[in-house]
Amino acid sequence: MDTLTQIVLGASVSVAVLGGRLGPRQAAITGGLLGTLPDMDVFIPAGDPVEAFVTHRGFSHSLLTQAMVTPAIGEVIMRIIPASRGLRWRTYAAIYLCLSTHALLDAMTIYGTKLFWPLSLKPFGVGSIFIIDPLYTLPLLVVVVWALCSQNWTKYIRKAVIITLVLTTAYQAWCFGAQRIVLARTKEILRQADIAPDRLLTTPLPFTSFFWRTIVLKNDHYINIY
């Protein structure tokens, strides 16, 4: 997903877990930084653009790597932010959730994410959401801006961030379900046209989950179905 989405997702998760202790503003800033951390792999030198594309979403997006680095990051945060001391396991949980939700969200796009590197080099890409989707990002952005503008933790912020995370997760479920519906309709269209495809790829059109395209591969030809 785009950088803004990863920032507001990480910030929302951090506010939900640590906002009551760190305060909404500090929790949002901390989570926003953690939410972008896996994408730092783009600064690793690569031989060419193709290699850079393949390397991205690799080891830094692995759920296993993220679990390994969580304690180290947690100790650094507890040294920098005194309010997090005494909450070691909650801090660890917040860190891992910020990192892992980044990787899992990337895996919902079409580009592929190596979630289990180095045990598996296979990239996982569901392709059920476009890399920029305002319906997913904007609710998170609103609640994060609210947290950043608030000095004190309140039950209203707590309810708002939890409801927003539930709704955006439900939206991801809708996207996955819509993809299944479109794929089923595509197969029916192909059956009626007496076309047996070699491969199918169903993805949403830019910025939406209500309009879709399926690429149908057949021998050395392809068909676009909208």
Side-chain angles (χ1 to χ4, degrees):
M1 295 293 284
D2 62 287
T3 301
L4 175 61
T5 302
Q6 296 292 12
I7 290 174
V8 295
L9 175 59
S12 299
V13 169
S14 180
V15 170
V17 179
L18 293 174
R21 182 62 179 265
L22 303 188
R25 181 179 301 166
Q26 195 166 46
I29 293 173
T30 301
L33 293 173
L34 289 170
T36 63
L37 196 58
D39 280 342
M40 293 300 102
D41 63 352
V42 299
F43 296 106
I44 299 175
D48 56 70
V50 174
E51 184 180 346
F53 180 81
V54 172
T55 302
H56 181 43
R57 295 183 175 182
F59 76 95
S60 64
H61 289 66
S62 166
L63 300 177
L64 305 176
T65 301
Q66 292 168 351
M68 291 177 62
V69 302
T70 289
I73 297 174
E75 295 305 315
V76 171
I77 288 178
M78 285 186 287
R79 288 179 179 273
I80 297 175
I81 306 176
S84 64
R85 298 169 188 170
L87 293 174
R88 174 171 273 104
W89 294 109
R90 180 178 291 190
T91 301
Y92 285 5
I95 294 167
Y96 186 69
L97 285 172
C98 289
L99 298 176
S100 60
T101 51
H102 176 122
L104 292 171
L105 183 58
D106 274 351
M108 300 304 292
T109 67
I110 199 63
Y111 292 102
T113 306
K114 297 175 183 175
L115 294 178
F116 300 107
W117 183 97
L119 298 182
S120 172
L121 299 182
K122 176 184 177 182
F124 293 84
V126 177
S128 59
I129 190 169
F130 189 68
I131 56 172
I132 301 174
D133 191 325
L135 284 180
Y136 181 79
T137 304
L138 288 178
L140 294 169
L141 177 62
V142 170
V143 78
V144 168
V145 170
W146 183 8
L148 290 172
C149 294
S150 303
Q151 288 186 334
N152 299 318
W153 177 251
T154 68
K155 64 179 181 180
Y156 301 108
I157 295 177
R158 177 178 177 273
K159 287 182 179 179
V161 72
I162 291 175
I163 290 172
T164 301
L165 287 171
V166 170
L167 289 177
T168 50
T169 301
Y171 181 71
Q172 287 287 351
W174 147 252
C175 292
F176 182 79
Q179 185 186 42
R180 300 296 100 188
I181 294 171
V182 172
L183 184 58
R185 291 181 177 178
T186 299
K187 290 179 178 179
E188 179 61 21
I189 291 171
L190 295 173
R191 187 190 65 79
Q192 293 176 3
D194 197 25
I195 298 174
D198 296 327
R199 288 187 64 189
L200 297 175
L201 180 63
T202 300
T203 60
L205 293 180
F207 316 121
T208 181
S209 62
F210 297 98
F211 297 94
W212 295 73
R213 176 181 69 170
T214 298
I215 302 175
V216 182
L217 299 181
K218 175 65 175 178
N219 298 326
D220 58 347
H221 295 80
Y222 72 91
I223 305 169
N224 284 318
I225 300 179
Y226 293 89

